[in-house]
Amino acid sequence: MTSRAQDVAIYLSHHFHHAWEGFGFFDLQRLMYLAQGWHLAGGRGVLFSDSIGAHKAAPLTYSVKGLLPMEEMLPEPDLTAEDEEFLDSFCITYGVADRAAVRRQVDREDGAWRLAQLTGGEGATIPPQLMEATFRLMLLDHMDAGQKLRKSQMIAQKQRFEGGNVVAFRAR
């Protein structure tokens, strides 16, 4: 069973209304796109069944119109336990990011939104299979970057140790 896009939007609005100053409609739409993509890439299937279109400014879930993060006016979202757990983790991950970092991740030229727009034109529906594939590639990119960072950190640490302990790291 999938959750409704409106419930996902309410959940994200509740969280990011506090995390980002001036949280707005396109911020919400980008986060919905990312949540759907990561849910698919994780092998969980679609988070919500509503389609996401390749609008020129951002990927848009057309069924979510004008939802603003006004907590006192919005109902509590009705999500499955699994979806709420996923969204908790998603909000922790993206809650430390800023608006510009999220936009850069969404605006990737090799991402599903841009590819759907390129092949299908303005407003084309982004196929879930394309989202899953491009987000899995993004995951591989993150892993590769993380491995390179860890390797450079290990080299730097070894160099510090070599400099501080001449005897233990002396070449034979």
Side-chain angles (χ1 to χ4, degrees):
M1 182 175 125
T2 61
S3 293
R4 293 178 334 125
Q6 291 84 354
D7 291 315
V8 172
I10 291 166
Y11 190 92
L12 293 173
S13 291
H14 280 228
H15 177 81
F16 284 93
H17 171 67
H18 297 292
W20 291 355
E21 189 174 320
F23 180 76
F25 178 74
F26 286 111
D27 296 322
L28 175 61
Q29 292 288 342
R30 287 183 184 98
L31 289 167
M32 291 193 60
Y33 166 79
L34 290 171
Q36 180 79 298
W38 288 122
H39 200 267
L40 286 161
R44 297 178 183 94
V46 294
L47 177 61
F48 52 87
S49 60
D50 302 67
S51 64
I52 300 176
H55 185 270
K56 66 180 175 186
L60 294 181
T61 305
Y62 295 118
S63 63
V64 177
K65 295 182 170 78
L67 276 181
L68 296 176
M70 297 179 277
E71 287 185 313
E72 61 280 354
M73 298 176 78
L74 295 175
E76 287 299 314
D78 182 23
L79 299 165
T80 66
E82 295 82 17
D83 288 350
E84 190 165 345
E85 183 179 331
F86 168 79
L87 288 170
D88 282 343
S89 175
F90 178 84
C91 287
I92 289 169
T93 301
Y94 282 94
V96 297
D98 62 11
R99 180 179 284 112
V102 167
R103 189 173 190 155
R104 279 191 306 275
Q105 190 172 42
V106 170
D107 286 354
R108 291 173 55 123
E109 292 297 319
D110 62 348
W113 167 46
R114 292 291 189 190
L115 292 173
Q117 194 178 46
L118 181 66
T119 59
E122 172 73 21
T125 297
I126 305 170
Q129 300 85 353
L130 180 60
M131 288 184 75
E132 182 177 358
T134 59
F135 276 76
R136 284 190 178 184
L137 288 174
M138 286 170 55
L139 186 58
L140 291 174
D141 287 350
H142 290 308
M143 289 172 48
D144 186 46
Q147 287 175 340
K148 288 178 183 174
L149 177 63
R150 281 190 297 281
K151 186 175 181 178
S152 69
Q153 289 171 337
M154 288 172 41
I155 290 169
Q157 186 176 19
K158 183 177 177 187
Q159 289 172 343
R160 281 195 309 271
F161 287 147
E162 286 174 353
N165 190 346
V166 178
V167 176
F169 292 99
R170 184 176 57 204
R172 293 182 182 197

